[in-house]
Amino acid sequence: MPLQTAPGVPAFDLTGRLALVTGSGRGIGHAIARGYALSGARVVLNGRDPERLKAAAAALREELAPGRPPGDVQVHAFDVADPAQVEQACEAVVAAHGCPDILVNNAGVQIRGPLTELPVDDWKRVVDVNLTSGFLVGRAFARHMLPRGSGKIINVCSVQNHLVRATTAPYAAAKSGLGGLTRAMCAEWASAGIQVNGLAPGYIDTDLNASLVADPDFSRWITRRTPAARWGRVEDVVGPAIWLASPASDFVNGQVIYVDGGMTAVI
């Protein structure tokens, strides 16, 4: 018998739930959306590139079990850092599919450089995409979740909530802020039945980190610095994301869960 949180309620089953994952055309976001879909959820993929989203959605539809309607995978392209686009997209998603049961604020960007030489526009771009978007998208959909009295919001943070490396100041500041925003959302919305938690991946082999993965010296440092002795894979994040989206985590709130191969546990 599957683990249940209450009689007749499978702990990790997402069947029939609606999930919106921002930045899900590729990388961690796509892996999470795929994991949700394979666990029974209907998913809405988001990004700024409509063609990439269409291709990602088509591939996911082909992978789903026969009999799943094509409408179980939808796409909505919008810029998560643009307040007007976020509000318009939120209303369009709710009108077309209903209020999401699960929202994953995953969209992110990285611009590296020494603080003394970093253009202000680059700082603002990183903070807008990695932090402000969580505020914009989170509050837009929370306005629909709150009257309903339920919802799961997962903010994808980073190991750099806790550890910082030279040349990544805007990213580290934004992701640390997203951890704080996660706790603030919990403080305001937990009593209405909404769980807000963060997932903090370590160093994951994605397009965002392609230049680092390709650097043999840096890769050697990662494998030595990480107790698991390897780069993370996008699949490593999926299980925790399913747990935080499922009834199994109904009493978990305001937490940031590190998925980092032990990096933050050791000196």
Side-chain angles (χ1 to χ4, degrees), residues 1 3 28 38 41 48 50 62 102 132 143 147 166 199 204 267:
M1 175 182 292
L3 178 65
I28 290 174
L38 294 175
R48 292 194 302 158
E62 287 184 7
I102 304 155
T132 306
R143 288 170 179 151
L199 269 181
I204 309 293
I267 327 183

Side-chain angles (χ1 to χ4, degrees), residues 97-165:
H97 313 295
C99 175
D101 303 287
I102 304 155
L103 168 65
V104 181
N105 286 311
N106 166 77
V109 66
Q110 173 70 286
I111 301 175
R112 301 180 181 91
L115 270 171
T116 52
E117 300 170 21
L118 188 74
V120 172
D121 286 346
D122 286 351
W123 171 277
K124 289 181 177 179
R125 177 61 181 162
V126 174
V127 171
D128 283 349
V129 175
N130 291 282
L131 173 57
T132 306
S133 70
F135 160 68
L136 294 173
V137 180
R139 73 169 182 174
F141 284 99
R143 288 170 179 151
H144 294 273
M145 292 178 175
L146 289 167
R148 184 183 63 191
S150 66
K152 302 273 190 176
I153 298 176
I154 301 165
N155 295 323
V156 178
C157 302
S158 167
V159 71
Q160 292 199 50
N161 282 47
H162 187 72
L163 303 173
V164 179
R165 196 167 59 80

Side-chain angles (χ1 to χ4, degrees), residues 12-19 36-43 68-69 71-72 97-102 148 245 247:
F12 299 99
D13 186 24
L14 301 182
T15 299
R17 300 198 175 203
L18 176 66
Y36 287 166
L38 294 175
S39 297
R42 296 177 295 134
V43 297
R68 289 283 296 274
D72 278 6
H97 313 295
C99 175
D101 303 287
I102 304 155
R148 184 183 63 191

Side-chain angles (χ1 to χ4, degrees), residues 27-118:
I28 290 174
H30 185 70
I32 290 174
R34 175 179 177 271
Y36 287 166
L38 294 175
S39 297
R42 296 177 295 134
V43 297
V44 179
L45 306 183
N46 158 263
R48 292 194 302 158
D49 185 337
E51 295 308 312
R52 175 180 289 159
L53 290 177
K54 289 177 185 176
L60 184 49
R61 290 187 189 111
E62 287 184 7
E63 191 177 359
L64 293 181
R68 289 283 296 274
D72 278 6
V73 181
Q74 296 288 341
V75 300
H76 276 265
F78 62 93
D79 184 349
V80 295
D82 183 310
Q85 286 192 40
V86 169
E87 292 296 329
Q88 293 168 2
C90 175
E91 297 310 311
V93 168
V94 171
H97 313 295
C99 175
D101 303 287
I102 304 155
L103 168 65
V104 181
N105 286 311
N106 166 77
V109 66
Q110 173 70 286
I111 301 175
R112 301 180 181 91
L115 270 171
T116 52
E117 300 170 21
L118 188 74

Side-chain angles (χ1 to χ4, degrees), residues 231-252:
W231 279 86
R233 297 182 286 267
V234 292
E235 294 79 12
D236 292 321
V237 185
V238 175
I242 291 173
W243 170 58
L244 289 177
S246 75
S249 63
D250 278 354
F251 201 56
V252 179

